[in-house]
Amino acid sequence: MAETSSSSDVRERRGIPAAAFVEDVQTYLQQSDLDVNSALSFLQERLQQYKLVEMKLLAQQRDLQ
């Protein structure tokens, strides 16, 4: 029970990588060949990217209204 979707199933939409749900953290870390701190850093960076995209989309929506 690693991830719901493998890395090959993760698609990009508009250049934004899809987020994969991680069911088993230990398996995810082993498959990704990452330690806890590296994985956490990577995921926090990805979260910031998603927040930036969200802010841009909300601003665009506000401008359209």
Side-chain angles (χ1 to χ4, degrees):
M1 285 190 235
E3 299 174 29
T4 301
S5 49
S6 67
S7 57
S8 62
D9 290 340
V10 175
R11 293 179 175 79
E12 289 190 21
R13 184 172 182 193
R14 296 184 185 179
I16 304 166
F21 181 77
V22 177
E23 290 183 33
D24 184 354
V25 175
Q26 185 172 3
T27 303
Y28 170 77
L29 292 174
Q30 290 171 347
Q31 288 177 348
S32 301
D33 197 29
L34 296 171
D35 61 39
V36 175
N37 292 327
S38 298
L40 186 58
S41 176
F42 169 76
L43 293 172
Q44 285 175 334
E45 181 179 320
R46 183 63 54 92
L47 178 61
Q48 290 303 316
Q49 292 171 345
Y50 290 141
K51 286 182 178 184
L52 180 62
V53 170
E54 180 186 25
M55 287 175 25
K56 287 180 180 181
L57 288 173
L58 289 173
Q60 184 181 27
Q61 180 184 29
R62 191 175 50 247
D63 291 344
L64 290 172
Q65 290 177 348

